[in-house]
Amino acid sequence: MAFEKLDLDPLFAKIEELKPQFIDRLARAVAIPSVSGDELLRPRVVDMAHFLVSELENLGAHDIQLKDLGTQPPPVADASLQLPPIVLARFGADKSKKTVLVYGHYDVQPALKEDGWATEPFTMHHDEAAQILYGRGTTDDKGPVMGWLNVVEAHNALGLELPVNLVCCFEGMEESGSLGLDGLIAQEAQQYFLSVDTVCISDNYWLGTTKPVLTYGLRGCNYYQIAIKGPGADLHSGIFGGVIAEPMVDLVQVMAKLVDNKGKILIPGVDEMVAPLTEKEDALYDDIDFSVDELHAAAGSETGLYNNKKDILKHRWRYPSLSIHGVEGAFYGPGAKTVIPSRVVGKFSIRTVPDIDSAKLDKLVIEYVQKVFGELSSQNQLNVELIHDGAYWVSDPFNESFTAASKATEHVWNIKPDFTREGGSIPITLTFEQELKTQVLLLPMGRGDDGAHSINEKLNVSNYINGCKTLGGYLHYYGRQ
Ligand SMILES: NCC(=O)N[C@@H](Cc1c[nH]cn1)C(=O)O
Ligand SMILES: [Zn+2]
Ligand SMILES: [Zn+2]
């Protein structure tokens, strides 16, 4: 539908003018290796929180708070390990204006140059020719978090009031299950977040590389570990091979029975919980702008399990998946270490969808793994447990927040966005919706080929800068409705 465009030219021109400063801000953020999943790097995650506080102070935020979440719950190696703080800040408290809570995360996934990065993962590389910014966290999620700061800076530089009150909520454990944030949101719902009218999260991606999207659904993520131990220490495989029960041999046999190589989950009872596909929902996939080629381009291989768009989208968005991630304690370095690991911990996760019940899923998983291990009649010991979980979220995108975002997107990109669901997870989304009793909008900045979590993660400069315009434009369209 046609809509009356707001005069955002001064704001957009200022964002363009400030581009060098915005790129520098992102480079300084990427340089902090805020890897929440690595206990040794936890102090750097806290450094990133303090970086944000400093930027927020310089931008004129008020009521800045670092909310302590205490120590990390088990399973964790160091029981005294502190959870990174939640960074809260406000810009404006004008009762005549609506209030938008913007959420993002300042932690990132691990990254090592030797994983295959072309550049140092924590030194942002600006490919001037291609106009691409490479580095861990550029698209997930430091680009979008800096995007919100950039929007404020552009308004400050123009002497232009923000059209809404802004409440910032930035966390440092999103990549590790958002541990501790649920409780804080419940605690602050009637306090710091009392005035919030809507929540905007920028922490996902376009489906492809050319068309902006707005997102109204996420899969959940239940993350498990299977620990198998036996020997008192790692052993020489020449001396003990063939005469001692090997934990790694048990583990690979158990994990092989979780999922087949066509993506079918082998745990009985999981598929039966999934909501049936209706004709109405099936029709939704027809008009989405995506292709098998785009999947293969983003994956860097033609190894897709499906040869058509609809099946790809359904299996990314509305069907569960089980992925095997790795084995802690196993040898993985260069060379040929001939050791029998005494304890190995297999890591896998299940992406959940409506109507999978998380507690029932845990029971199905744990009892199945115990049964499969029991059938090995192994002398080793097993422990299987959930590490963390996050609920799936599916919303109704026909509300004023999505309408404002659609107008802003069309204003900046001259095309109406597709409305999509996302295969990834943002554990805290449903909690925002339930505790603040408001709607949540996912307004992505980056592209589907950005390589989030992968090597050579990137953010195109055009997505970064036009993404700032889109975030700013959203605030204006939402504030004027
Ligand atoms: N940008 C969202 C994202 O990457 N989310 C993570 C969340 C998560 C859950 N458990 C571990 N990480 C994802 O993998 O979807
Ligand atoms: Zn991520
Ligand atoms: Zn993210």
Side-chain angles (χ1 to χ4, degrees):
M1 94 288 190
F3 62 89
E4 183 188 346
K5 273 193 173 183
L6 299 175
D7 176 15
L8 298 174
D9 291 349
L11 175 63
F12 292 174
K14 182 58 70 176
I15 288 172
E16 285 290 344
E17 179 192 325
L18 290 170
K19 180 162 69 173
Q21 288 90 318
F22 294 169
I23 290 173
D24 174 67
R25 173 175 277 133
L26 182 53
R28 288 184 287 119
V30 167
I32 301 171
S34 49
V35 179
S36 57
D38 183 338
E39 296 182 16
L40 298 178
L41 287 174
R42 188 58 56 84
R44 302 312 317 274
V45 183
V46 178
D47 288 345
M48 186 65 204
H50 291 296
F51 168 87
L52 281 176
V53 168
S54 171
E55 295 293 307
L56 289 161
E57 284 170 345
N58 294 338
L59 289 168
H62 58 96
D63 197 4
I64 299 174
Q65 296 185 24
L66 280 176
K67 306 298 275 188
D68 181 353
L69 297 181
T71 55
Q72 185 157 328
V76 64
D78 170 5
S80 67
L81 184 68
Q82 285 293 316
L83 288 169
I86 302 297
V87 179
L88 300 181
R90 290 184 197 284
F91 291 95
D94 181 337
K95 292 191 186 313
S96 68
K97 292 179 181 177
K98 292 176 183 175
T99 298
V100 177
L101 183 150
V102 294
Y103 160 92
H105 64 90
Y106 59 85
D107 64 314
V108 295
Q109 285 279 327
L112 298 171
K113 181 80 166 42
E114 52 267 30
D115 292 342
W117 284 75
T119 58
E120 282 300 327
F122 295 105
T123 304
M124 192 170 88
H125 171 63
H126 182 181
D127 180 335
E128 302 262 2
Q131 281 302 291
I132 294 177
L133 306 169
Y134 289 94
R136 174 58 87 225
T138 46
T139 196
D140 182 17
D141 189 41
K142 290 180 177 177
V145 170
M146 296 308 115
W148 292 116
L149 303 185
N150 298 342
V151 165
V152 173
E153 180 170 356
H155 281 80
N156 290 351
L158 279 171
L160 177 63
E161 265 198 35
L162 285 169
V164 297
N165 302 312
L166 214 52
V167 171
C168 299
C169 177
F170 300 136
E171 70 159 311
M173 283 292 282
E174 194 277 345
E175 300 289 9
S176 300
S178 296
L179 299 178
L181 184 51
D182 283 304
L184 181 99
I185 292 171
Q187 168 195 309
E188 296 295 338
Q190 298 305 313
Q191 308 295 326
Y192 203 95
F193 302 144
L194 180 61
S195 61
V196 168
D197 294 299
T198 197
V199 175
C200 181
I201 295 177
S202 188
D203 185 24
N204 71 304
Y205 326 98
W206 296 358
L207 199 49
T209 58
T210 56
K211 189 168 190 182
V213 307
L214 301 179
T215 301
Y216 63 93
L218 291 158
R219 292 198 290 187
C221 185
N222 283 26
Y223 203 104
Y224 300 91
Q225 67 177 31
I226 300 173
I228 299 179
K229 67 179 181 181
D234 290 0
L235 301 175
H236 190 304
S237 62
I239 299 167
F240 294 94
V243 299
I244 199 89
E246 299 193 21
M248 190 68 169
V249 173
D250 288 347
L251 183 65
V252 296
Q253 298 196 42
V254 171
M255 297 187 91
K257 292 185 172 64
L258 297 174
V259 62
D260 73 16
N261 73 337
K262 299 305 179 192
K264 178 170 178 49
I265 296 174
L266 302 176
I267 303 169
V270 176
D271 285 345
E272 288 75 4
M273 287 194 278
V274 176
L277 180 72
T278 64
E279 281 186 26
K280 181 183 176 190
E281 182 198 334
D282 188 66
L284 284 177
Y285 300 95
D286 293 326
D287 299 333
I288 299 293
D289 187 353
F290 188 60
S291 69
V292 179
D293 290 344
E294 285 185 292
L295 170 73
H296 289 164
S301 65
E302 296 192 7
T303 54
L305 294 174
Y306 302 96
N307 62 6
N308 66 86
K309 174 186 74 172
K310 287 185 72 166
D311 280 339
I312 291 170
L313 293 179
K314 286 184 229 177
H315 286 85
R316 174 181 282 186
W317 297 354
R318 68 95 62 217
Y319 288 122
S321 60
L322 189 153
S323 297
I324 293 177
H325 303 296
V327 181
E328 188 178 335
F331 165 62
Y332 70 95
K337 193 176 174 185
T338 59
V339 165
I340 297 171
S342 60
R343 179 178 182 270
V344 285
V345 187
K347 308 280 180 77
F348 70 98
S349 67
I350 296 176
R351 298 286 173 170
T352 60
V353 296
D355 296 318
I356 289 178
D357 175 89
S358 184
K360 183 176 178 185
L361 176 65
D362 292 349
K363 188 170 184 296
L364 288 172
V365 170
I366 290 167
E367 289 178 357
Y368 176 74
V369 168
Q370 289 171 339
K371 171 178 170 293
V372 169
F373 179 75
E375 290 164 355
L376 300 177
S377 303
S378 169
Q379 296 96 316
N380 292 315
Q381 297 161 41
L382 168 89
N383 183 44
V384 49
E385 59 185 323
L386 174 77
I387 293 181
H388 62 246
D389 61 354
Y392 58 76
W393 167 78
V394 182
S395 178
D396 170 4
F398 301 101
N399 58 57
E400 60 179 16
S401 187
F402 272 83
T403 302
S406 184
K407 289 176 181 176
T409 301
E410 190 172 349
H411 189 141
V412 174
W413 297 98
N414 298 309
I415 187 170
K416 289 185 186 303
D418 273 345
F419 279 32
T420 67
R421 290 167 64 169
E422 173 69 66
S425 314
I426 302 173
I428 207 62
T429 307
L430 186 62
T431 306
F432 273 126
E433 196 163 82
Q434 291 177 336
E435 293 294 344
L436 305 192
K437 295 178 176 50
T438 185
Q439 72 267 90
V440 176
L441 156 74
L442 266 59
L443 177 49
M445 176 180 276
R447 301 181 181 183
D449 69 340
D450 281 349
H453 294 202
S454 184
I455 58 169
N456 303 322
E457 176 183 347
K458 62 110 173 142
L459 181 64
N460 291 67
V461 172
S462 62
N463 282 71
Y464 183 40
I465 298 305
N466 287 330
C468 293
K469 295 175 189 173
T470 307
L471 298 181
Y474 160 70
L475 297 181
H476 280 271
Y477 279 105
Y478 180 73
R480 304 290 179 85
Q481 280 180 162

